[in-house]
Amino acid sequence: MNDFIPDPIRQGIARGWRIVDAARIEADQTLEADVVIVGSGAGGGVTAEILALAGLKVVIVEEGALRSSNDFKMREADAYPSLYQESAARQTLDKGIKILQGRTVGGSTTVNWTSSFRTPPSTLDYWRTRFGLDGFDAEAMAPWFETMEARLHIGDWQAAPNENNALLKRGADKLGIPSGLIRRNVNGCWNLGYCGMGCPTNAKQSMLVTTIPSALDHGALLVTRARAERFAIKGEDVEELLCTGLQADGVAPNGRLLRLRAKHFVVAGGAINSPALLLRSNAPDPHALLGKRTFLHPTLISAGIFPQRVDAYAGAPQTVYSDHFLHTAPIDGPLGYKLEAPPLHPVLLSTTMNGFGADHAAMMRQFPHIQGMLALLRDGFHEASPGGSVQLKDGAAVLDYPLNDFLWDGARRALLTMAEIQFAAGASAVRPAHESARAYTSWNEAQRAIAELPQALHMTRVASAHVMGGCTMAGDARLGVVAPNGRYRELANLSVHDGSLFPTSIGANPQLSIYGLTARLASGLAEDLTGQPAPRPGA
């Protein structure tokens, strides 16, 4: 199939893009630029394009490899080791939460499911009142969201929802629960459903096929398979970034050192990796805030078994949602949750659901008839929901995210809600992702059983694909290490441009929030560094 689809990465390389693959260099190197950007995901990609369009000499450094549509074979066995952090097996310190994050050029935008939501106004209001982020209300952010929506073809999905998503709407409608349709960042989508393995048709408007190519066409240099180890700091300035070259596997060091020097540095490695880099660098942190307040939208899973085929792997992965249970309590009250339907693929399903031996095999034989539902808990708005903290373990990043009774209360309510919706949609059985759960054949049975399930570490299956916080942006230095202009407060030539800036989780899939926020911050940075108005992304 890929032989008939133009490959913008191969075309760009043929045009003369400047790329250094650190896995292939034979000696240490020193590179210089106006700006070095660490990370090529949502924050780094947007920043790279804006700064390159402004005429600045930009270097983008990425730990993962450069892949393209010709590498995306729609196979989990290929995608997870090559495109995800820790082969899609990243976990919290206590192994209580499985975390999916991208690790490739384009970051998580290359492997996400294209769901695009603006930051909810209630979240922005909370940031203003609790973290002093004046001027970041919905009205002020709207032009930046509009800019990035136009740049990345974010719009309503025209096709009908696949059966996996239609069942969420059908069950919600029957119970009188309002739902909505999810906007997607796609252009010419083939409706395949394999977005999480890299888009083989280049329809997904990820950083891999939009902002990174634009930046490279405007003279930026891309460094791949290079691990950002630490900043060399002198006084209030970062002097250089020290990176380790990696072997072809993208994991083991190859013994080569890269020194990246610049007038300004931008950290955009994503929550977990960004605070970890600053921690390894011993960045000044007078209020001990770095790495704290890291949030996940801890996610609960429910599998509904239906008489008809669902084929949850086929078709646009996420097109229906419900925010009803985000609005049934105050934002700083008991944990609310967003409902969505995830795509299901064999490895993802089999490693997420509980069960062993014959029981697990029997469940997997029902794979074509399984509908998946997710509940994303909105963490960070209550004193009992402080999030986690990024720590270093032998220099590597790890997230400690304790699970407490406040969270378990939200988990139980979410599991009950999902089971009720699935039965209302016509499920013959519902199986919550919990070690003690089995397939329940009626809502009454499920209601009684879920009410009694012990909500505890390693019992309830919890996952996340949304990592936020750790480098909190706030109006007050006592609340955040980053100022409202994106500058790291204690270092004159360092900015942070990614989801680690969020003071809380946001209660929505975060990519558009990162796009809009970093477009604003990068435009301000471009004006500061050049003295000229910032160009519009995509110009």
Side-chain angles (χ1 to χ4, degrees):
M1 180 176 66
N2 295 44
D3 292 339
F4 301 99
I5 299 168
D7 186 332
I9 304 304
R10 289 186 178 180
Q11 292 173 346
I13 292 172
R15 287 197 303 272
W17 282 353
R18 300 169 62 227
I19 299 173
V20 173
D21 183 353
R24 299 178 180 271
I25 61 176
E26 298 180 355
D28 295 350
Q29 291 193 13
T30 298
L31 303 171
E32 297 188 357
D34 294 320
V35 183
V36 166
I37 301 170
V38 183
S40 63
V46 170
T47 299
E49 179 179 38
I50 291 172
L51 297 186
L53 287 172
L56 292 162
K57 185 178 179 182
V58 173
V59 170
I60 310 157
V61 59
E62 167 62 49
E63 185 173 348
L66 175 60
R67 309 291 185 186
S68 74
S69 53
N70 277 280
D71 301 305
F72 302 149
K73 306 300 183 182
M74 300 168 61
R75 290 195 294 260
E76 292 176 282
D78 295 331
Y80 298 153
S82 64
L83 302 177
Y84 285 77
Q85 292 282 353
E86 300 172 37
S87 298
R90 173 169 270 188
Q91 296 176 309
T92 51
L93 181 62
D94 59 14
K95 314 300 183 190
I97 305 177
K98 178 180 179 179
I99 302 171
L100 295 176
Q101 280 186 296
R103 181 180 178 269
T104 185
V105 174
S108 293
T109 74
T110 300
V111 296
N112 71 20
W113 299 335
T114 76
S115 301
S116 302
F117 295 91
R118 294 188 182 188
T119 315
S122 58
T123 298
L124 294 172
D125 289 344
Y126 188 88
W127 291 358
R128 176 180 56 81
T129 58
R130 301 297 179 93
F131 291 89
L133 291 180
D134 297 323
F136 286 85
D137 55 79
E139 183 178 1
M141 289 301 299
W144 298 105
F145 291 138
E146 291 168 2
T147 293
M148 294 312 300
E149 286 163 349
R151 172 69 181 99
L152 301 175
H153 292 268
I154 293 173
D156 297 337
W157 176 237
Q158 300 302 315
N162 65 2
E163 183 69 357
N164 194 44
N165 283 269
L167 286 167
L168 168 56
K169 177 173 174 51
R170 212 173 296 156
D173 285 350
K174 192 166 183 179
L175 296 171
I177 297 169
S179 63
L181 299 177
I182 299 175
R183 306 177 82 209
R184 307 181 64 218
N185 61 314
V186 294
N187 186 22
C189 178
W190 289 28
N191 204 23
L192 297 174
Y194 288 73
C195 305
M197 294 163 225
C199 181
T201 68
N202 298 308
K204 184 197 301 187
Q205 299 297 283
S206 68
M207 302 299 94
L208 177 66
V209 299
T210 56
T211 61
I212 298 297
S214 173
L216 294 174
D217 280 336
H218 288 84
L221 169 66
L222 174 64
V223 180
T224 65
R225 289 193 277 201
R227 180 174 295 144
E229 298 289 358
R230 64 180 180 86
F231 290 112
I233 297 171
K234 185 176 182 180
E236 295 183 353
D237 291 305
V238 174
E239 291 192 320
E240 62 183 5
L241 173 66
L242 303 176
C243 300
T244 298
L246 303 177
Q247 295 181 21
D249 63 3
V251 179
N254 64 6
R256 304 303 180 199
L257 175 68
L258 293 93
R259 296 179 179 272
L260 307 183
R261 295 173 178 165
K263 299 173 185 175
H264 198 89
F265 295 83
V266 176
V267 178
I272 297 181
N273 290 342
S274 285
L277 171 59
L278 294 168
L279 287 168
R280 282 196 300 272
S281 305
N282 293 316
D285 181 21
H287 299 287
L289 299 173
L290 192 55
K292 306 295 194 302
R293 295 192 63 80
T294 303
F295 301 101
L296 290 173
H297 288 154
T299 300
L300 291 308
I301 305 104
S302 184
I305 297 92
F306 285 80
Q308 75 274 26
R309 288 184 69 104
V310 177
D311 295 333
Y313 57 86
Q318 288 188 318
T319 55
V320 174
Y321 76 99
S322 175
D323 280 350
H324 175 72
F325 297 95
L326 289 178
H327 305 313
T328 52
I331 193 170
D332 56 354
L335 282 173
Y337 43 92
K338 185 185 197 77
L339 299 177
E340 295 176 340
L344 299 182
H345 296 276
V347 174
L348 185 63
L349 177 66
S350 64
T351 57
T352 299
M353 293 302 295
N354 55 299
F356 296 93
D359 174 56
H360 192 273
M363 179 195 67
M364 290 305 297
R365 280 194 292 271
Q366 296 175 304
F367 175 65
H369 297 266
I370 295 177
Q371 188 263 354
M373 201 173 297
L374 300 177
L376 290 71
L377 300 180
R378 182 177 57 187
D379 48 343
F381 294 86
H382 189 280
E383 62 180 10
S385 179
S389 60
V390 175
Q391 303 173 6
L392 299 178
K393 186 176 182 180
D394 298 325
V398 65
L399 175 63
D400 183 21
Y401 189 102
L403 300 170
N404 59 19
D405 289 341
F406 184 73
L407 185 142
W408 292 131
D409 169 72
R412 189 184 306 279
R413 288 184 285 108
L415 290 173
L416 285 165
T417 293
M418 291 188 288
E420 185 175 15
I421 291 173
Q422 287 170 322
F423 279 116
S428 56
V430 170
R431 182 169 185 155
H434 186 287
E435 293 301 324
S436 298
R438 56 180 178 81
Y440 307 115
T441 57
S442 72
W443 164 232
N444 286 337
E445 181 188 23
Q447 187 176 23
R448 290 193 301 270
I450 294 171
E452 298 298 324
L453 287 176
Q455 301 295 327
L457 181 68
H458 301 148
M459 293 296 290
T460 307
R461 296 288 182 101
V462 185
S464 181
H466 304 160
V467 189
M468 301 151 283
C471 296
T472 300
M473 182 171 71
D476 187 329
R478 295 168 296 180
L479 298 176
V481 295
V482 177
N485 62 358
R487 300 292 191 102
Y488 191 82
R489 280 193 158 91
E490 305 299 324
L491 295 168
N493 64 337
L494 180 71
S495 297
V496 180
H497 287 186
D498 61 18
S500 69
L501 294 170
F502 298 168
T504 64
S505 76
I506 60 174
N509 306 60
Q511 69 164 340
L512 180 52
S513 292
I514 300 172
Y515 293 148
L517 179 59
T518 56
R520 172 174 167 169
L521 299 179
S523 296
L525 179 60
E527 293 180 6
D528 289 346
L529 296 179
T530 66
Q532 300 294 325
R536 184 175 179 205

